[in-house]
Every structure is written in structure tokens, then in C-alpha cells.
Amino acid sequence: MSNLPSLIATDVDFDRPGFQTGTLRLPWSHDTSAYGHVPIPLAVLNAGTGPTVLLTGGNHGDEYEGPVALMKLLQRLPSMTIRGRLIVIPALNFPAFINGSRTSPIDRGNLNRLFPGARNGQPTEMIAHYVETELLPRADIVIDLHAGGASFDHLPTLLASPPPHGEQRTRYFELVRAFGAPNTMIMDLLGEDRTFAAAAERHGKLFLCGEFGGHAGCDAANLAIVEQGLDRMLHQLGVTFETSVPRAAATRFLRVEGARHYVYSPLAGVFEPAFALGDEVREGQLAGRLFDPHRPWQAPQDIHFRGDGTVMCLRTFARVEPGDCIALLASETHAD
């Protein structure tokens, strides 16, 4: 990663007191705009002493509960009294968000697989580099809001990356319980280290994200979970002072336990599921049948679960290719 400053610029002064709106100017020189840029909207409310909370959505452009919750928060920011600083970016991968796609239409970049990014890279790499070099050093707590997008539906779940021990771990679980999502899942990304979560961990920041729905829609019930969770978490941090914050319900803790909790398609075809979102399943149980559309007379291939657990997310597209993830399971666990 280059030690030179990011090529992304902004007129927002992160250190200036008060409320500001503006854009991050992502350079993009192309056939019809030689000196152009992509403006990525953001807002900052700075009240001085206190924690800095970075709130982002639209890391993937077809996930909407987070961006909508943050756009609604932006409506409130000018009238809010806070302690510390809020940096709010409703759609971090803005080209993907405007396109309604998981990846950027400019360079096909999946932002959540490109950290630490590259100063002189493609536009999506430049966004990751800006977050890594400019935003993460300023933040104390990072909250990145996701959903399943077009290809997945996901139970409303906070994804936790708790520090291993000590006071930071205790504080982290206080925030998790304050958010009060129905489910909190300790992820196993099978060694993936190019994510926003991995970047935040490298910087020693408290990082929370979540999956709140899918189908590339905006579910009202899941949106309410996000909005109320953010309000409770900001209150727990001492950033806000509202007395009418609704009480958090108890969250159910779960853990993804390696490859056995993932279900992948071995072949191309059409998948018929034998389970539903939220089902409790057992190792060896039928997950579904895979049909070959080119040989419809051929018996389908049975696919079985390789572990016990709750179905946390499932693929929304029936058409699959080899290696497509069909479902993700998790087992109940304890916060400690």
C-alpha cells in the first residue's frame, strides 16, 4: 500500500465543529469525461470531545436496509445533540449503489474483497484505499451495514468480530447487546482477509456489521431493527443522549464453524431447496436437489448438509454454477 495520500479528495473538513455535508471525489477519467469524478455523498457531525463513529452502508450496491437507515439518520443529524463525531456514508461503493449491483459497473470491483485497496488502482480499489488510509485512522468504532443483496436472503443478524480479550472485548459485547439484533453471529470467512472487517482489525478498531434481509429489497421490519439498533448503540457509546431509546431484546448468539457450515453447488443446474430460512437442520439431512436443465430426464443430484445448525442465509437464485454458495448455517454459542 502506497504511503502517498489518497487521490480521493473532499471539501469536508473532518475536524471542523458542527454539521457538514459534501462528497468524496473519486477520480474517474473515461471516454466521455476526461477529467471527471464520481461524487460519493457523506455527512459529518462533529461535537468535539468523544468517540468518532464511522457509519457506512452500500459496501455492496444491491443491499438497501443500511443505506436507507443512514439516509434517514442524515435527516436528523442537523438537529441532534451529540458527544464526539459521526461520519456517515450511506453508500460507500456509490457506483454500485446507483447501479443496484453488488459490484461496481465501472470496474466490476467488489469493495468488500479489495482491502487494503490501492492508491493508483481501479476506482473501487481507490475507495478501499481511502477508507484504509483516511477514514479508519480517524474512527474509534466502525459500523458497516449489509443485507443479502440480490443473490441471498439473510435472517436479521449482527455479524460480530470481537476482540480476543480484555476491556475491549467487554466493551464490544456491550455494544452488541445494545444493538439488540435478533441474532448475533460470529463469522468464519474461511481465511478471507480482504474485507472491511479485516481492515478495521488491522487498525485496532471496534467493528460491527450486519446482514438485514435480502432479495435486493428494503424490508420494513428489518429496516426498523437497523434504525433502533443504531439508536441504542449510539446511546450506549455516550454519543447521543435521548431518553426514549427503546429497550433492546436479548440477542441469540451463533457461530459459523468452518467449511461444514457452508453449502455449495458442485455443478451447474437448477436447485430445488428442501429447507427454509431459519430452519434447524442436521448433518446428512437433505438440503435440496440439483437438476440438469440440459438432461431433464436425468435424476437430480441430492445435496446434503455437512453440519448441524440454523439456516442463516439462503440463495435466492435457483440457477447455480459450480461453487455457488446455496446456504450458510450457524450453531448456537455463548458470548464469552
Side-chain angles (χ1 to χ4, degrees):
M1 187 167 59
S2 170
N3 291 323
L4 295 172
S6 171
L7 289 170
I8 294 176
T10 182
D11 292 330
V12 169
D13 180 351
F14 292 101
D15 298 321
R16 194 183 87 189
F19 177 68
Q20 301 172 72
T21 61
T23 61
L24 305 176
R25 298 192 300 275
L26 170 65
W28 183 32
S29 176
H30 55 98
D31 290 344
T32 60
S33 185
Y35 302 142
H37 71 268
V38 177
I40 302 174
L42 81 157
V44 179
L45 179 59
N46 187 356
T49 303
T52 291
V53 184
L54 173 62
L55 297 161
T56 60
N59 189 322
H60 296 129
D62 59 352
E63 303 172 2
Y64 293 100
E65 283 82 359
V68 172
L70 294 181
M71 287 189 283
K72 292 174 74 173
L73 176 62
L74 288 185
Q75 310 303 306
R76 297 160 47 202
L77 279 188
S79 61
M80 287 175 61
T81 299
I82 71 163
R83 173 178 167 269
R85 178 171 57 176
L86 295 176
I87 302 172
V88 184
I89 307 177
L92 192 55
N93 192 350
F94 197 70
F97 183 69
I98 292 301
N99 197 52
S101 56
R102 181 175 180 83
T103 61
S104 171
I106 298 174
D107 56 17
R108 310 315 308 172
N110 178 346
L111 178 57
N112 214 32
R113 300 295 185 274
L114 285 175
F115 287 87
R119 177 187 187 269
N120 301 323
Q122 293 297 311
T124 309
E125 294 177 298
M126 294 174 70
I127 296 172
H129 176 265
Y130 184 84
V131 173
E132 183 102 25
T133 61
E134 295 290 339
L135 295 180
L136 282 175
R138 289 183 165 92
D140 299 301
I141 299 97
V142 182
I143 304 168
D144 186 41
L145 299 165
H146 288 252
S151 68
F152 270 130
D153 193 13
H154 209 296
L155 290 179
T157 303
L158 198 66
L159 303 183
S161 302
H165 49 71
E167 185 178 329
Q168 284 285 79
R169 184 177 178 88
T170 300
R171 186 184 185 208
Y172 187 90
F173 279 111
E174 288 174 351
L175 296 178
V176 166
R177 291 189 172 92
F179 193 98
N183 307 286
T184 296
M185 188 163 69
I186 313 299
M187 282 294 292
D188 181 349
L189 291 175
L190 307 181
E192 178 60 71
D193 62 359
R194 299 169 296 169
T195 64
F196 198 171
E201 186 174 335
R202 285 194 292 272
H203 285 262
K205 309 299 181 178
L206 295 183
F207 180 89
L208 298 106
C209 72
E211 304 278 0
F212 299 96
H215 294 273
C218 184
D219 180 84
N222 288 334
L223 178 61
I225 290 169
V226 175
E227 291 183 87
Q228 293 172 17
L230 288 176
D231 283 348
R232 285 191 293 264
M233 189 177 290
L234 293 175
H235 189 268
Q236 176 68 32
L237 285 166
V239 173
T240 59
F241 309 99
E242 287 88 349
T243 57
S244 59
V245 177
R247 186 178 179 84
T251 188
R252 178 191 186 199
F253 286 96
L254 302 107
R255 181 180 295 275
V256 178
E257 297 175 345
R260 74 186 189 93
H261 269 163
Y262 287 82
V263 180
Y264 293 105
S265 176
L267 300 167
V270 176
F271 181 72
E272 174 204 2
F275 63 93
L277 192 64
D279 279 358
E280 301 292 331
V281 301
R282 306 290 295 178
E283 181 180 357
Q285 179 179 327
L286 181 69
R289 302 172 184 87
L290 186 61
F291 290 86
D292 183 347
H294 298 286
R295 299 173 180 82
W297 49 81
Q298 185 171 296
Q301 178 173 341
D302 290 347
I303 298 175
H304 298 87
F305 292 108
R306 294 187 293 159
D308 304 341
T310 302
V311 178
M312 301 302 294
C313 74
L314 57 82
R315 182 175 171 85
T316 59
F317 297 150
R319 189 73 173 87
V320 295
E321 296 294 331
D324 281 341
C325 184
I326 294 169
L328 174 65
L329 310 182
S331 298
E332 287 204 42
T333 188
H334 301 286
D336 53 3

